[in-house]
Amino acid sequence: MGRGKVELKRIENPTNRQVTFSKRRDGLLKKSIELSILCDAQVALIVFSPSGKPYYYSSHDMDSTIRRYRNEKGLQNTTSHGVTTVEVLKNEMDEMKKTIDTLETKHRHLLGEDIMTLWMKELKQLERQLRIGVDRVRAKKWRLLSEQVGALKRNHKTLQEENSILQKKIKLHELLNEGDENSGLDSFKLNKAA
C-alpha cells in the first residue's frame, strides 16, 4: 500500500516541522552518500536548519568540490563574499604551505628527529609506520637478492657447460696430436728400418 500524496506547504506546528526536517535531512544525506558510493560521483550537500545550524556531506573535499562547481559555472573570479581570485589563491598557497610543513615534520619524525614533542600514541604510530617500512624494504631486498642469486646460478651453470665443452675439445685435440705424433714416429721407424 503506497503513501498518499503529501501537500507541499509550510508545516505550521514547530515540533512537527522539526521532526520532518530531521527525517528528510537524514534521508537526503543517505541518498547523497549512496549516490557517491554507487556511482562514484563527487557529491557536496549543504543544508541549513531553520535555526541556522549547518549540516553537510561531501564525498570528497568540500572546498575542492565547491571550487570545481564555481569554475564550471564561471564564478571563479570572486566568491560569494566578494573575495578576489588573488585572495583565494593566497589561501590555497597558505594551505599548501601548511601541508608542506606537516609533511616535512612527518619526514623528520621518520628520521628520528624532533620526536621529543610526540606523545605515546604518536610514538606508537610512528613505530608501526617504521616497522611496516622496514618490512617492505627487507622484502624488496630479499626479492632482489633472490633474483641476483638466481641469475648468478644460471650464469654459473652456463659457464660450467662451456667449460665442459672446452675440456672435451682440449682432450680431443690432445688425442689428435698424440695420434699425429704416433703416426709420425711409425713412419720415422719405417724409414730407418729401410
Side-chain angles (χ1 to χ4, degrees), residues 96-145:
M96 287 181 185
K97 283 181 182 178
K98 287 178 189 174
T99 303
I100 290 170
D101 289 342
T102 302
L103 291 173
E104 286 176 346
T105 301
K106 285 183 179 181
H107 184 254
R108 283 194 303 275
H109 290 163
L110 289 171
L111 294 174
E113 301 171 359
D114 296 337
I115 58 173
M116 299 305 280
T117 59
L118 298 178
W119 294 93
M120 184 58 74
K121 182 180 178 181
E122 294 165 322
L123 288 171
K124 285 182 179 179
Q125 182 180 4
L126 179 61
E127 183 180 26
R128 189 176 339 110
Q129 288 174 339
L130 288 170
R131 192 176 305 118
I132 290 169
V134 167
D135 290 344
R136 288 179 182 163
V137 168
R138 283 184 182 151
K140 174 71 174 178
K141 183 178 83 172
W142 285 114
R143 189 171 66 246
L144 288 175
L145 284 173

Side-chain angles (χ1 to χ4, degrees), residues 62-114:
M62 179 66 82
D63 291 334
S64 67
T65 305
I66 291 173
R67 198 175 311 116
R68 181 177 174 190
Y69 170 78
R70 296 185 66 76
N71 286 338
E72 290 291 324
K73 291 295 183 180
L75 303 172
Q76 66 268 33
N77 293 334
T78 61
T79 63
S80 59
H81 299 291
V83 179
T84 63
T85 302
V86 174
E87 291 171 337
V88 171
L89 293 174
K90 184 180 178 301
N91 289 337
E92 285 181 18
M93 190 173 70
D94 291 341
E95 286 297 319
M96 287 181 185
K97 283 181 182 178
K98 287 178 189 174
T99 303
I100 290 170
D101 289 342
T102 302
L103 291 173
E104 286 176 346
T105 301
K106 285 183 179 181
H107 184 254
R108 283 194 303 275
H109 290 163
L110 289 171
L111 294 174
E113 301 171 359
D114 296 337

Side-chain angles (χ1 to χ4, degrees), residues 10-28:
R10 185 174 185 268
I11 300 171
E12 296 300 326
N13 184 325
T15 305
N16 291 345
R17 187 168 52 240
Q18 181 59 39
V19 169
T20 302
F21 172 79
S22 295
K23 287 181 179 179
R24 293 201 174 219
R25 179 203 61 217
D26 292 345
L28 189 57

Side-chain angles (χ1 to χ4, degrees), residues 163-191:
N163 188 24
S164 176
I165 291 169
L166 288 173
Q167 285 178 351
K168 288 177 183 176
K169 285 182 178 180
I170 289 172
K171 284 183 182 179
L172 181 64
H173 186 68
E174 288 175 351
L175 289 174
L176 290 175
N177 282 342
E178 279 181 21
D180 287 344
E181 288 175 8
N182 287 339
S183 66
L185 284 176
D186 289 342
S187 64
F188 180 72
K189 286 178 185 176
L190 287 174
N191 286 337

Side-chain angles (χ1 to χ4, degrees), residues 29 31-46 57-72:
L29 288 171
K31 291 292 183 188
S32 299
I33 292 168
E34 290 172 356
L35 181 64
S36 69
I37 292 170
L38 293 173
C39 303
D40 197 27
Q42 186 173 356
V43 177
L45 174 69
I46 303 172
Y57 166 75
S58 179
S59 60
H60 297 75
D61 179 50
M62 179 66 82
D63 291 334
S64 67
T65 305
I66 291 173
R67 198 175 311 116
R68 181 177 174 190
Y69 170 78
R70 296 185 66 76
N71 286 338
E72 290 291 324

Side-chain angles (χ1 to χ4, degrees), residues 144-155:
L144 288 175
L145 284 173
S146 296
E147 290 172 1
Q148 288 177 350
V149 166
L152 288 172
K153 284 181 178 179
R154 287 189 297 275
N155 193 22

